Amino acid sequence: MMIAVFAFSVNHAIYVILQPMSVYIAIDIGGTHLRAATYPPNSFTPIEVTRIFTQSINATPLQRLIGLIEDIWPVNDPVLGIGVAVPGPTDPFQGIVLECPNIPGWENLELKRILEERFNVPVVLGNDANLAALAEWRYGAGQGHHHLLYFTVSTGIGSGVIIDNRLLLGARGLAAELGHVTIMENGPRCGCGGCGHLESVASGTGIIHWVEEQLTNGAVSSLANEKPITGSMISRAAIAGDELAIAALARSGKYMGIALANYLHIFNPTAVVIGGGVSQSGDYLLKPLHESLHKHILHPSYLDNLVIITAIFGDEAGLVGALALVEANFPE
Ligand SMILES: [Zn+2]
């Protein structure tokens, strides 16, 4: 139990009153794990965190999610609301999961209605990359910025946009898919099925595919005998001076820079927050990104006061984002 303690004195005796303290519940849905945490208002330090596998032979993912919330439900403290981060397209206005590629059957799932009927508290949903942007803006690297772009670059590219201190959602909550803009006509196949999207060119998967293609075409590299090649192998090879690995990261940085120039023209933010594994490639990626950005920007003013910074939340971005969402919607 989270308690607020009030002490006062009457006739030299000390009386102590223990009062329950309201909490938020944040949920992060993943293809592998379902995670839940409770937080006091105005803090991203959890009171309790728990996680279970999403899949089981005994129960559906939805039944497991409900069980997880029952398990973390505080005994005495009132719950102000539940925020849920969903790894797929989500309608945040209706509270419907439109699709969840890693959880079969979660199509047009009315998750908000189901959870509100079961738990009798307000529930709010959001796409996990959008909520990670909210997490960085509210509690992370982007604090104090009113206009912010967020990217997580790992196997794919997730993104979120904050404009005027609000998460950009669009008409159905499907806005800010910055990884799926076409950057290369007839470019490589994207995870979404499209072609030449920023994700297919510049993400970790895009970098690996390009290296493999060059090796097939006879490029010389210390990676030639590695199978399968991973993103961290490419980063290590670049640090060791491997020219193919350096070129692969530079290529990713170049296309990220082109895309970023386009985004700055549209959104004019003061912060770009980059998370995910690829952000750990350091100057091998970031220097070409900056060079490319400067080359393609319309006017130097876009870069005045602009900071490009590394995200502080990794694995916990979804939980903190779900917290920031429920907190913003249902203040204490
Ligand atoms: Zn795509």
Side-chain angles (χ1 to χ4, degrees), residues 82 111-124 330:
I82 302 173
L111 192 57
K112 173 185 166 72
R113 181 185 59 76
I114 293 167
L115 295 181
E116 285 185 344
E117 282 177 9
R118 169 65 189 82
F119 293 103
N120 209 25
V121 295
V123 174
V124 59
F330 308 107

Side-chain angles (χ1 to χ4, degrees), residues 27 29 31-36 50-72 106 115 119:
I27 303 292
I29 293 171
T32 310
H33 288 107
L34 302 172
R35 292 192 294 172
T50 180
R51 73 173 189 177
I52 57 171
F53 284 114
T54 307
Q55 310 281 351
S56 142
I57 49 169
N58 301 321
T60 65
L62 181 59
Q63 288 167 334
R64 290 179 67 70
L65 173 63
I66 289 170
L68 179 70
I69 299 171
E70 287 168 351
D71 286 346
I72 206 166
W106 278 31
L115 295 181
F119 293 103

Side-chain angles (χ1 to χ4, degrees), residues 95-116:
I96 296 172
V97 178
L98 300 176
E99 189 191 347
C100 220
N102 293 325
I103 307 179
W106 278 31
E107 280 162 18
N108 297 316
L109 179 73
E110 294 182 59
L111 192 57
K112 173 185 166 72
R113 181 185 59 76
I114 293 167
L115 295 181
E116 285 185 344

Side-chain angles (χ1 to χ4, degrees), residues 179-181 190-195 197 199-200:
H180 297 281
V181 295
C190 186
C192 71
C195 271
H197 291 177
E199 173 173 307
S200 69

